[in-house]
Each structure stands twice: as C-alpha cells, then as structure tokens.
Amino acid sequence: MRNTMILLTALAAAGAASAQTTLTVITHDSFDVDKKLIAAFETQNRAKVRFIKGGDAGELLNRLILTRRAPIADVVYGLDNSLLPRARQAGILQPYKSPALSRVPATYRLGDDGLLNTVDYGFVALNYDRAWFEKNKVALPKSLDDLKTPAYAKLTVVQSPATSSPGLAFLLATVNHYGETGAWQWWRAARAGGMKVTRGWSDAYYKDFTRNGGKYPIVLSYASSPAAEVFYADGFTPAKLPAQAPTANLFLPGSTYTQLEGVGILKGTKQAALARKFVDFMLSAPVQTDIPTRMWIYPAVKGTPLNPVYTFAQQPQPTPIKAEVASNPQRLVDAWVTQVLRAR
C-alpha cells in the first residue's frame, strides 16, 4: 500500500509539473520556426510549447482584446508597430525587455516600455507579376495616382486594414502620403475602379495574385516576396541564382511601410519566467538565422547572416510615418470603414 501511495503521489506531482510547464504561444498565421529549434527549447526548459494560430495580425489582436479577462495564451508573436498603440491602450501586455535587445538597432526597437521585443522587420510593398505585364504589354504605374485609375485599380489586390497588418500598414502609408481627406478619396476611387480588398495576406497572395492562378497581377505583399519566389522555384540552388525573380517590387512613392514585428508576454500569464525565456529564444542566433527563409522578413539582430537569395529582396526607403498618423491607427481604421468600406 505504501509503495502504491508513493507511486500515485509521484504521478500526481509529475502531472502537475507537466501542466505548469506548458507554455501557450499565440501567433499570426504566417508564423514558422524550425520544429527542431522548438524541440530544443522544450528540452532545455523541460517544457511543452503549444501554439495557437490567431489569424492575420489584426484578427489576432482583436482576439486577444476580446479574451483579455481570461487570456488564452502566455506569449504573443506577430503584433507589429501599426498594432502596438491599440494593444498598449487595451492593456493586454506586460513589460519585459530581453537582454538580446542590445543587439537590435535602436531604429528597429518597438518603444522603451518593453511591451513588445522586436524579432524581425520587413517592408510592406506592392509586388507585380513580371510575366503578366510582359505578356500583356502593359506599362507599370508610376504613382499612387496612377494606381487608383481603373486601368490599374482593376489589376490590384490589397488587404483590409481592419483585419490585416499589411493592409493597415498600407492604409497608414496612404494617409501619410495624401492626408486623411486625400486618402479616403484615393481609396474610394481605387475601389470604384476595381481594386479588390481581401481579409488577409494569404488570400490576396495565394488566391488572387496571378502568380498563383488569380486575376490580379499587382498584390500588396512584402519587398522580400520576390526572394521567396526564387527560393521556392523548382531547382533552386544558392550557388546558381537566376538573373531575376518572377515577381518584382513596385515602390510607388508613398506606398511602402517599415513593419516591425515583435514578441511579448500577455498579462495574466502563470508562466512568466518561462515566457521570458521564450522571448529570449526568439531573439537567439539560431532562431534569427532561421527566420529569413521561413517567414521572409529580416532578422532584427544585427549581423545575422542572410541566404544569398536575399539579393532579390530590395530594401526601399519608406517615407517616415508622421507621429499624428502613427499614434492612433484604430481611429483611422474606423474612419476607413465609414469613409471607404461603407461609402456609397
């Protein structure tokens, strides 16, 4: 009997320990890190990491705000600089500054409050399908003013700023470029001319873009997307790169945006110590090296090596976003819904 009691007690303790060392991480749908790296983290910390996919980043934030009284995760990855003001206002994050931030250039850090630790950065930009434009002998647009005309609007698919972080980034870029009144006029004209607005990036790129069987040869994506197209092409080898990528960037003045993505700890976590270790893990050299050819964004830690295919990932110089534009993105989203989405 005594041995049985000892065994039952040990099993109960093991079960409790297992429950206490499960870390739940919620991410946007594009999150991808080598499973071997995750397994190594689990082994090193005697923990289990459970991932939840929360949709596009805008949807992810909405979900976290709705569940803030009973948090569904310990850590969040994928909120960015366009969404941070709303996350800060909602009070869903608790501060933690990883020591690894010292290796992240100051220009890429997401504020001084430690609510989000920058993991990576990228450039939201319009891409186009080279083959489509060559085959149809259509000249490229040269400005956002060109893009809103029916000739080009009907060729373009972008994401909704209400549900997508690239969509919100593009909205902020257009408001920054035109001012609010001018931006609403631009969006209404572009939509009237045939521009499609999708819920998220995956639908726009993998369903609507002509490279993937869709009808739109211009898509809102990232400046690194042409590098991904080369990387996933049949027969790709870093030692023998093609002359050009099948897609290219369309850096129209006022259309690009620097996106900073981060990892943070959610308020209410019961695994704060383990959550801090996971934040550090996302800024570790193995993960930073893994990120560029999995999520197609630049690693935040300075000096991280890049695959040679990144020669096709151009880095634009976006116009800095004015403070008054960046301070309250949700107000602009609400105005966009009223002034553009519901406009007749």
Side-chain angles (χ1 to χ4, degrees):
M1 177 66 75
R2 183 173 182 275
N3 288 341
T4 301
M5 290 299 294
I6 292 173
L7 177 60
L8 290 173
T9 301
L11 289 172
S18 175
Q20 290 172 352
T21 55
T22 296
L23 186 76
T24 301
V25 179
I26 189 167
T27 73
H28 58 47
D29 284 350
S30 298
F31 175 79
D32 186 16
V33 169
D34 191 338
K35 292 179 180 178
K36 292 179 181 178
L37 295 177
I38 301 296
F41 175 86
E42 292 176 325
T43 299
Q44 182 179 359
N45 293 283
R46 297 181 181 179
K48 176 66 179 176
V49 180
R50 183 172 73 96
F51 289 99
I52 300 173
K53 290 294 180 75
D56 209 316
E59 295 175 283
L60 168 62
L61 178 57
N62 290 338
R63 189 171 177 183
L64 292 176
I65 292 173
L66 288 172
T67 58
R68 60 187 162 187
R69 297 186 186 280
I72 56 176
D74 304 293
V75 175
V76 57
Y77 163 81
L79 299 182
D80 66 10
N81 47 323
S82 69
L83 297 171
L84 179 55
R86 188 172 172 222
R88 183 182 285 120
Q89 184 179 26
I92 62 172
L93 300 167
Q94 66 181 53
Y96 169 65
K97 289 186 180 181
S98 172
L101 280 177
S102 63
R103 303 194 300 276
V104 174
T107 53
Y108 292 139
R109 294 180 198 166
L110 283 158
D112 296 323
D113 53 16
L115 295 181
L116 284 180
N117 291 246
T118 310
V119 171
D120 52 74
Y121 67 95
F123 303 99
V124 175
L126 295 161
N127 292 177
Y128 69 92
D129 180 353
R130 287 182 186 272
W132 188 94
F133 277 89
E134 290 171 5
K135 178 182 177 181
N136 291 279
K137 298 184 178 356
V138 175
L140 292 171
K142 296 180 180 179
S143 67
L144 282 171
D145 284 346
D146 287 347
L147 196 68
K148 73 178 180 182
T149 63
Y152 292 109
K154 67 183 180 182
L155 307 179
T156 305
V157 57
V158 302
Q159 299 88 44
S160 167
T163 52
S164 163
S165 59
L168 176 54
F170 187 59
L171 172 66
L172 296 179
T174 57
V175 172
N176 195 62
H177 184 69
Y178 286 113
E180 286 189 51
T181 300
W184 308 145
Q185 291 172 348
W186 183 91
W187 278 88
R188 286 194 293 265
R191 291 190 74 223
M195 184 179 76
K196 183 172 182 179
V197 179
T198 67
R199 187 169 184 82
W201 178 87
S202 295
D203 282 346
Y205 202 89
Y206 292 122
K207 294 180 182 179
D208 294 313
F209 191 30
T210 49
R211 277 287 298 170
N212 295 301
K215 300 188 300 182
Y216 299 86
I218 299 174
V219 62
L220 182 66
S221 189
Y222 289 87
S224 50
S225 295
E229 290 283 347
V230 173
F231 185 84
Y232 292 119
D234 291 340
F236 166 74
T237 171
K240 192 176 181 181
L241 296 175
Q244 64 180 20
T247 63
N249 289 302
L250 192 59
F251 293 149
L252 305 180
S255 68
T256 56
Y257 181 91
T258 303
Q259 183 183 50
L260 312 176
E261 288 188 315
V263 60
I265 301 173
L266 291 166
K267 274 187 180 177
T269 177
K270 295 179 180 178
Q271 301 293 345
L274 188 56
R276 289 193 290 269
K277 289 182 179 180
F278 189 84
V279 171
D280 296 341
F281 165 75
M282 289 297 293
L283 283 161
S284 67
V287 174
Q288 288 286 295
T289 302
D290 187 57
I291 280 174
T293 53
R294 285 187 182 272
M295 293 191 280
W296 297 99
I297 38 189
Y298 288 91
V301 172
K302 188 176 181 179
T304 302
L306 292 172
N307 187 292
V309 77
Y310 262 72
T311 57
F312 298 101
Q314 299 163 289
Q315 293 198 38
Q317 295 183 332
T319 303
I321 301 296
K322 302 178 185 74
E324 60 269 25
V325 174
S327 63
N328 192 352
Q330 187 57 41
R331 183 187 67 79
L332 294 175
V333 171
D334 293 342
W336 178 86
V337 170
T338 301
Q339 297 289 333
V340 178
L341 198 60
R342 295 176 182 167
R344 298 189 180 186

